[in-house]
Amino acid sequence: MVYKFRVILDAEEDVFRDIAILEDDTLEDLHNAIFNSFGFDGMEVASFYTCDETWNQEDEISLFDTGDIPGEQKIMSDYQLSDILDKENTKIIYVYDFINMWTFLVELAAIEDQLAGNTYPETIFSHGEMPDEAMEKNFESDNADDYNNEFEDGLDDDDLDMFEGDDSFEDFGFEENWN
């Protein structure tokens, strides 16, 4: 079977590619198809993230094993597309280049029979031009203000007066550590 994906760049302008790839290809194969179809050189680190129906990010599947114990963490090449995506689970997030954070919404649009003579993966439709820079991401939580208020210590500049002037820490009982 062939999986047909719509890969949408998270940007202000509409930029997307439709990619056809075999269901038993790996996430690494899909990674290669995406960076090629969008014109990247493939020299940057990337990850897929499983997500729910409303694109809430869940588990990371990275290109390389970044775990403490080699081989413990599963990577893109360990997953066939059919292991992660099917008619019920159609969405996954792709991030390319963790400096620029190019973020793509990847959705399985169709599962069809393989056409004889076609080479997969292939970009079957292309819309929009890549912007010069990735959209700036805001990683602040929805309740960040509540979190900050909960841990506000109430100190202001006047509370720090005790540190002005004498740079000796003898009054604080730390002199035994400096002999």
Side-chain angles (χ1 to χ4, degrees):
M1 299 301 289
V2 173
Y3 278 13
K4 291 188 176 180
F5 289 97
R6 172 141 300 167
V7 183
I8 304 168
L9 175 65
D10 185 13
E12 290 183 22
E13 300 293 321
D14 288 341
V15 179
F16 63 88
R17 307 290 185 262
D18 291 346
I19 296 172
I21 187 169
L22 298 174
E23 71 176 328
D24 58 353
D25 281 341
T26 66
L27 282 175
E28 185 175 14
D29 296 323
L30 181 59
H31 152 74
N32 292 332
I34 293 172
F35 80 70
N36 283 322
S37 71
F38 282 92
F40 293 116
D41 61 12
M43 301 304 292
E44 302 299 332
V45 176
S47 285
F48 283 100
Y49 295 88
T50 59
C51 61
D52 62 17
E53 280 300 308
T54 57
W55 299 102
N56 292 312
Q57 182 177 313
E58 294 172 345
D59 298 325
E60 178 180 15
I61 303 168
S62 62
L63 182 59
F64 302 109
D65 186 347
T66 57
D68 294 334
I69 300 169
E72 183 177 63
Q73 180 182 3
K74 290 183 96 177
I75 58 174
M76 288 182 199
S77 61
D78 294 329
Y79 291 96
Q80 287 186 336
L81 295 175
S82 57
D83 293 339
I84 301 288
L85 300 157
D86 55 34
K87 289 181 180 180
E88 285 78 40
N89 300 306
T90 60
K91 297 177 181 178
I92 195 164
I93 299 169
Y94 174 72
V95 177
Y96 177 82
D97 182 357
F98 287 99
I99 302 293
N100 293 304
M101 296 297 290
W102 293 100
T103 304
F104 300 85
L105 306 176
V106 181
E107 186 163 17
L108 178 60
I111 301 173
E112 299 177 355
D113 290 329
Q114 183 174 348
L115 298 176
N118 278 20
T119 305
Y120 299 100
E122 72 171 323
T123 301
I124 54 178
F125 185 76
S126 181
H127 176 81
E129 296 292 321
M130 286 293 293
D132 293 332
E133 295 180 1
M135 263 182 64
E136 189 171 317
K137 303 288 184 263
N138 182 2
F139 290 103
E140 187 172 299
S141 124
D142 293 339
N143 61 352
D145 290 335
D146 296 339
Y147 177 81
N148 288 336
N149 290 338
E150 180 180 342
F151 294 101
E152 182 64 41
D153 60 10
L155 292 177
D156 58 22
D157 290 337
D158 293 335
D159 294 321
L160 303 176
D161 287 345
M162 67 181 187
F163 296 112
E164 289 181 6
D166 185 13
D167 289 335
S168 169
F169 291 98
E170 292 176 11
D171 296 337
F172 299 105
F174 297 120
E175 64 277 357
E176 70 274 3
N177 293 331
W178 299 100
N179 292 332

